[in-house]
Coordinates of all heavy atoms in Angstrom, one line a residue:
E8 N 5.3 -6.7 -16.5 CA 4.8 -7.2 -15.1 C 3.4 -6.8 -14.9 O 2.6 -7.6 -14.4 CB 5.7 -6.6 -14.0 CG 7.1 -7.2 -14.0 CD 8.0 -6.5 -13.0 OE1 7.6 -5.5 -12.4 OE2 9.1 -7.0 -12.8
N9 N 3.0 -5.6 -15.3 CA 1.6 -5.2 -15.2 C 0.6 -6.1 -16.0 O -0.4 -6.5 -15.5 CB 1.4 -3.7 -15.6 CG 1.8 -2.8 -14.5 OD1 1.9 -3.1 -13.3 ND2 2.2 -1.6 -14.9
L11 N 1.2 -9.2 -17.0 CA 1.2 -10.5 -16.4 C 0.4 -10.6 -15.1 O -0.4 -11.5 -14.9 CB 2.6 -11.0 -16.2 CG 3.5 -11.3 -17.4 CD1 4.9 -11.5 -17.0 CD2 2.9 -12.4 -18.2
E12 N 0.6 -9.6 -14.3 CA -0.2 -9.5 -13.0 C -1.7 -9.4 -13.3 O -2.5 -10.1 -12.7 CB 0.3 -8.3 -12.2 CG -0.4 -8.2 -10.9 CD 0.1 -7.0 -10.1 OE1 0.8 -6.1 -10.6 OE2 -0.2 -6.9 -8.9
T13 N -2.1 -8.6 -14.3 CA -3.5 -8.5 -14.7 C -4.0 -9.8 -15.1 O -5.1 -10.2 -14.8 CB -3.7 -7.4 -15.7 OG1 -3.2 -6.1 -15.2 CG2 -5.2 -7.3 -16.1
Y15 N -2.9 -12.8 -14.4 CA -2.9 -13.6 -13.2 C -4.2 -13.4 -12.4 O -4.9 -14.3 -12.0 CB -1.7 -13.4 -12.4 CG -1.7 -14.1 -11.1 CD1 -1.5 -15.5 -11.0 CD2 -1.9 -13.4 -9.9 CE1 -1.5 -16.2 -9.8 CE2 -2.0 -14.1 -8.7 CZ -1.8 -15.4 -8.6 OH -1.8 -16.1 -7.4
V16 N -4.4 -12.1 -12.1 CA -5.6 -11.7 -11.2 C -6.9 -12.1 -11.9 O -7.8 -12.7 -11.3 CB -5.5 -10.2 -10.8 CG1 -6.8 -9.8 -10.2 CG2 -4.3 -10.0 -9.9
L17 N -7.0 -11.8 -13.2 CA -8.2 -12.1 -13.9 C -8.5 -13.6 -13.9 O -9.6 -14.1 -13.8 CB -8.2 -11.6 -15.3 CG -8.4 -10.1 -15.5 CD1 -8.1 -9.6 -16.9 CD2 -9.8 -9.7 -15.0
E19 N -7.4 -15.8 -11.8 CA -7.8 -16.3 -10.4 C -9.3 -16.0 -10.2 O -10.0 -16.7 -9.5 CB -7.0 -15.6 -9.3 CG -5.5 -16.0 -9.3 CD -5.3 -17.5 -9.0 OE1 -5.8 -17.9 -7.9 OE2 -4.7 -18.2 -9.8
K20 N -9.8 -14.9 -10.7 CA -11.2 -14.5 -10.5 C -12.1 -15.3 -11.4 O -13.2 -15.7 -11.0 CB -11.4 -13.0 -10.9 CG -10.9 -12.1 -9.8 CD -11.1 -10.6 -10.2 CE -10.5 -9.6 -9.2 NZ -10.8 -8.2 -9.7
R68 N 3.8 -17.2 -14.8 CA 3.1 -17.3 -13.6 C 4.0 -16.9 -12.4 O 3.5 -16.2 -11.5 CB 2.5 -18.7 -13.4 CG 1.6 -18.9 -12.1 CD 0.9 -20.2 -12.2 NE -0.1 -20.3 -11.1 CZ -1.3 -19.7 -11.2 NH1 -1.6 -19.0 -12.2 NH2 -2.2 -19.9 -10.2
A69 N 5.2 -17.4 -12.4 CA 6.1 -17.1 -11.4 C 6.3 -15.5 -11.2 O 6.3 -15.0 -10.1 CB 7.5 -17.8 -11.6
L70 N 6.5 -14.9 -12.4 CA 6.7 -13.4 -12.4 C 5.5 -12.7 -11.9 O 5.5 -11.8 -11.1 CB 7.2 -12.9 -13.7 CG 7.5 -11.5 -13.8 CD1 8.5 -11.0 -12.8 CD2 8.0 -11.1 -15.2
A71 N 4.3 -13.2 -12.4 CA 3.0 -12.6 -12.1 C 2.7 -12.7 -10.6 O 2.3 -11.8 -9.9 CB 1.9 -13.2 -12.9
E72 N 3.0 -13.9 -10.0 CA 2.7 -14.1 -8.6 C 3.6 -13.3 -7.7 O 3.2 -12.7 -6.7 CB 2.9 -15.6 -8.3 CG 1.8 -16.5 -8.7 CD 2.0 -18.0 -8.5 OE1 3.1 -18.4 -8.2 OE2 1.0 -18.7 -8.6
N73 N 4.9 -13.2 -8.1 CA 5.8 -12.4 -7.4 C 5.4 -10.9 -7.4 O 5.4 -10.2 -6.4 CB 7.3 -12.5 -8.0 CG 8.3 -11.7 -7.2 OD1 8.6 -10.6 -7.6 ND2 8.8 -12.3 -6.2
T74 N 5.0 -10.4 -8.6 CA 4.6 -9.0 -8.7 C 3.3 -8.8 -7.9 O 3.2 -7.8 -7.2 CB 4.3 -8.7 -10.2 OG1 5.5 -8.9 -10.9 CG2 4.0 -7.2 -10.3
Y75 N 2.4 -9.7 -7.9 CA 1.1 -9.6 -7.2 C 1.4 -9.6 -5.7 O 0.8 -8.9 -4.9 CB 0.1 -10.6 -7.6 CG -1.2 -10.5 -7.0 CD1 -2.0 -9.3 -7.2 CD2 -1.7 -11.4 -6.1 CE1 -3.2 -9.2 -6.6 CE2 -3.0 -11.3 -5.5 CZ -3.7 -10.2 -5.8 OH -4.9 -10.0 -5.2
E76 N 2.3 -10.5 -5.2 CA 2.6 -10.6 -3.8 C 3.2 -9.2 -3.4 O 2.8 -8.7 -2.3 CB 3.6 -11.7 -3.5 CG 4.0 -11.8 -2.1 CD 5.1 -12.8 -1.8 OE1 6.0 -13.0 -2.6 OE2 5.0 -13.3 -0.7
K77 N 4.1 -8.7 -4.1 CA 4.7 -7.4 -3.8 C 3.6 -6.3 -3.7 O 3.5 -5.5 -2.7 CB 5.7 -6.9 -4.8 CG 7.0 -7.6 -4.7 CD 8.0 -7.1 -5.7 CE 9.4 -7.7 -5.6 NZ 10.3 -7.2 -6.6
H78 N 2.7 -6.3 -4.7 CA 1.6 -5.4 -4.7 C 0.8 -5.5 -3.4 O 0.5 -4.5 -2.7 CB 0.7 -5.6 -5.9 CG -0.5 -4.7 -5.9 ND1 -0.5 -3.5 -6.6 CD2 -1.7 -4.8 -5.4 CE1 -1.6 -2.9 -6.4 NE2 -2.4 -3.7 -5.7
C79 N 0.4 -6.7 -3.0 CA -0.4 -6.9 -1.8 C 0.3 -6.5 -0.5 O -0.3 -5.8 0.3 CB -0.9 -8.3 -1.7 SG -2.1 -8.8 -3.0
V80 N 1.5 -6.9 -0.4 CA 2.3 -6.6 0.8 C 2.5 -5.1 1.0 O 2.3 -4.5 2.0 CB 3.6 -7.4 0.9 CG1 4.5 -6.8 2.0 CG2 3.4 -8.9 1.1
I81 N 2.9 -4.5 -0.1 CA 3.1 -3.0 -0.1 C 1.8 -2.3 0.2 O 1.8 -1.4 1.1 CB 3.8 -2.5 -1.4 CG1 5.2 -3.1 -1.6 CG2 3.8 -1.0 -1.5 CD1 5.7 -2.9 -3.0
A82 N 0.7 -2.7 -0.4 CA -0.5 -2.0 -0.2 C -1.0 -2.2 1.3 O -1.4 -1.2 1.9 CB -1.6 -2.5 -1.1
H83 N -0.9 -3.4 1.8 CA -1.3 -3.6 3.2 C -0.4 -2.8 4.1 O -0.9 -2.2 5.1 CB -1.1 -5.1 3.6 CG -2.2 -6.0 3.1 ND1 -2.0 -7.1 2.3 CD2 -3.5 -5.9 3.4 CE1 -3.2 -7.7 2.1 NE2 -4.1 -7.0 2.7
A99 N 1.2 1.2 -4.5 CA 1.8 -0.2 -4.5 C 2.0 -0.6 -6.0 O 3.0 -1.3 -6.3 CB 0.8 -1.1 -3.8
E103 N 5.8 -1.6 -6.6 CA 6.1 -3.1 -6.8 C 7.2 -3.3 -7.8 O 7.9 -4.3 -7.8 CB 4.9 -3.9 -7.1 CG 4.3 -3.5 -8.4 CD 2.8 -4.0 -8.6 OE1 2.1 -4.1 -7.6 OE2 2.4 -4.2 -9.8
H104 N 7.4 -2.4 -8.8 CA 8.3 -2.6 -9.9 C 9.7 -2.1 -9.5 O 10.7 -2.5 -10.2 CB 7.8 -1.9 -11.1 CG 6.4 -2.3 -11.5 ND1 6.1 -3.5 -12.0 CD2 5.2 -1.7 -11.4 CE1 4.8 -3.7 -12.2 NE2 4.3 -2.5 -11.8
F111 N 12.0 -5.5 -0.1 CA 10.7 -6.2 -0.1 C 10.7 -7.3 0.9 O 9.7 -7.4 1.7 CB 10.4 -6.8 -1.5 CG 9.1 -7.6 -1.4 CD1 7.9 -7.1 -1.2 CD2 9.2 -9.0 -1.6 CE1 6.7 -7.9 -1.1 CE2 8.1 -9.8 -1.6 CZ 6.8 -9.2 -1.3
N130 N -6.5 -9.2 4.6 CA -7.5 -9.1 3.6 C -6.8 -8.9 2.2 O -5.8 -8.3 2.2 CB -8.5 -7.9 3.8 CG -9.2 -8.0 5.1 OD1 -9.6 -9.1 5.5 ND2 -9.4 -6.9 5.8
E131 N -7.4 -9.5 1.2 CA -6.9 -9.4 -0.1 C -7.0 -7.9 -0.6 O -8.0 -7.3 -0.3 CB -7.6 -10.3 -1.1 CG -7.2 -11.7 -1.1 CD -5.7 -11.9 -1.6 OE1 -5.3 -11.3 -2.6 OE2 -5.0 -12.5 -0.9
I132 N -6.0 -7.4 -1.3 CA -6.0 -6.1 -1.9 C -6.4 -6.3 -3.3 O -5.8 -7.0 -4.1 CB -4.7 -5.4 -1.8 CG1 -4.2 -5.2 -0.3 CG2 -4.6 -4.2 -2.6 CD1 -5.0 -4.2 0.4
E133 N -7.5 -5.7 -3.7 CA -7.9 -5.8 -5.1 C -7.2 -4.9 -6.0 O -6.9 -3.8 -5.6 CB -9.4 -5.5 -5.2 CG -10.3 -6.6 -4.6 CD -11.7 -6.4 -4.9 OE1 -12.1 -5.8 -5.9 OE2 -12.6 -6.9 -4.1
R134 N -6.9 -5.3 -7.2 CA -6.2 -4.5 -8.2 C -7.2 -3.6 -8.8 O -8.3 -3.9 -8.9 CB -5.5 -5.4 -9.2 CG -4.4 -6.1 -8.7 CD -3.0 -5.8 -9.2 NE -2.8 -5.2 -10.5 CZ -2.0 -4.1 -10.6 NH1 -1.5 -3.5 -9.6 NH2 -1.7 -3.7 -11.8

Side-chain angles (χ1 to χ4, degrees):
E8 289 173 354
N9 282 334
L11 292 172
E12 183 180 11
T13 299
Y15 172 77
V16 170
L17 287 171
E19 292 296 304
K20 287 181 184 177
R68 186 170 190 77
L70 183 54
E72 285 176 345
N73 182 269
T74 303
Y75 185 63
E76 179 186 33
K77 283 183 179 179
H78 177 90
C79 291
V80 169
I81 294 167
H83 279 124
E103 67 197 27
H104 306 289
F111 173 66
N130 297 323
E131 279 295 311
I132 297 291
E133 291 187 24
R134 290 250 329 131

